[in-house]
Amino acid sequence: MERVYSSHMTQRIRCQLTIPFAVLALALSGCTTSPKSQETQWQPRTSTAITTGEPKLEFDSTQLMMKNSDQVNELINARIQKAGNVQASQVDDAEADSVVVELETLEALKDAMRIALARPDRDGTRSSLYSLVRRELVDLNSLDVVLRDLAQESIDALKAKRSAKAQATYVYILENLMAELRPDLANDNTREIVTRIRDARIDIDPAVRKQLMMRTMSRPVSPSDTAERLLSQVPAKAS
């Protein structure tokens, strides 16, 4: 198993991975392994959402708006560094077919992605912050699972009618996420995330609308409506 050191993560793991270690630990019987001479390919045994960590809203969008892009970048890099340290601390096993992605690694990267998407994009830096975290998740083959989990966390928070500030923050997360995913809607995994948001049929509470209008001075739109509009623009696949 080859390990590659880079500036993006203290120790980057290159493995053919489609589910995180959180599920692997519970479902080894659902994985198939290749011979020792080849990399292991983990196969998911379920298409249901995978939880990569307990939801935690460290900063709401109002708090993040009060920070400049450099300060937000520092918050994100601190969590990327934490993910790298966790991954690098794995016990070396010369007999192992691959190196798995630790649950704590995914938790730290999801925290970083949540921060990147929770901040209203008034200064045009959202995409660069998103790309910073995306690169780390792509290298761990865990981008789709973390984005799906973060989308579900946002939907659940809005359905549970959390505080107006929290709900407004999760609206921003969903809207910013879909803005980043829009160019890749032809991808099945990307489209599944947006479809999940559409099918949630999210209603924005009056108190949350007030919070959003104070920040954008425009009429808030349900993320489900945004998702439906985006999906309607995707050409139908030929049968």
Side-chain angles (χ1 to χ4, degrees):
M1 184 67 202
E2 178 187 4
R3 293 192 175 186
V4 179
Y5 291 86
S6 77
S7 59
H8 303 315
M9 183 170 284
T10 305
Q11 196 168 27
R12 177 157 297 153
I13 310 304
R14 297 194 179 279
C15 57
Q16 300 300 316
L17 175 68
T18 55
I19 60 174
F21 182 59
V23 174
L24 172 63
L26 299 175
L28 285 175
S29 61
C31 301
T32 59
T33 57
S34 56
K36 288 276 184 177
S37 60
Q38 302 177 13
E39 291 184 344
T40 298
Q41 294 188 359
W42 304 112
Q43 300 295 331
R45 65 176 182 176
T46 175
S47 60
T48 58
I50 299 170
T51 300
T52 57
E54 290 299 320
K56 56 177 179 179
L57 193 61
E58 297 178 276
F59 304 95
D60 62 42
S61 54
T62 300
Q63 293 171 315
L64 291 172
M65 284 174 61
M66 296 175 66
K67 300 180 183 296
N68 60 38
S69 60
D70 289 338
Q71 291 172 321
V72 177
N73 192 69
E74 288 178 4
L75 292 175
I76 290 173
N77 274 317
R79 284 147 186 80
I80 290 175
Q81 183 64 48
K82 177 182 177 181
N85 291 341
V86 170
Q87 201 63 45
S89 67
Q90 287 195 71
V91 178
D92 289 333
D93 183 357
E95 297 299 318
D97 289 317
S98 68
V99 180
V100 296
V101 182
E102 298 284 1
L103 171 60
E104 193 176 350
T105 298
L106 295 182
E107 287 181 317
L109 291 176
K110 188 173 75 168
D111 291 343
M113 183 62 80
R114 190 188 296 106
I115 291 171
L117 296 176
R119 184 172 181 262
D121 191 30
R122 290 185 174 180
D123 56 4
T125 60
R126 181 198 65 216
S127 289
S128 62
L129 296 173
Y130 170 81
S131 297
L132 184 64
V133 188
R134 182 185 184 278
R135 182 165 55 239
E136 303 298 338
L137 289 167
V138 167
D139 286 343
L140 294 174
N141 287 328
S142 299
L143 176 65
D144 291 331
V145 70
V146 169
L147 293 184
R148 184 170 65 242
D149 189 44
L150 187 54
Q152 189 61 52
E153 174 190 320
S154 303
I155 292 168
D156 292 343
L158 290 166
K159 292 286 189 179
K161 305 298 182 184
R162 293 179 60 180
S163 70
K165 281 188 176 182
Q167 289 189 62
T169 301
Y170 278 113
V171 168
Y172 278 119
I173 289 174
L174 290 178
E175 292 288 353
N176 286 333
L177 174 60
M178 287 187 286
E180 294 298 335
L181 293 181
R182 181 175 181 175
D184 198 32
L185 281 176
N187 178 278
D188 289 340
N189 291 328
T190 299
R191 195 164 56 254
E192 190 274 334
I193 293 171
V194 178
T195 300
R196 185 187 295 260
I197 298 170
R198 180 198 65 187
D199 294 346
R201 298 303 173 193
I202 297 166
D203 290 322
I204 302 179
D205 284 349
V208 180
R209 288 182 180 277
K210 184 177 180 180
Q211 285 276 340
L212 294 170
M213 289 187 69
M214 287 172 59
R215 300 172 197 175
T216 63
M217 301 304 294
S218 59
R219 181 177 178 274
V221 176
S222 166
S224 294
D225 292 341
T226 301
E228 186 166 23
R229 176 174 54 82
L230 291 179
L231 291 170
S232 70
Q233 300 170 2
V234 180
K237 289 186 175 182
S239 56

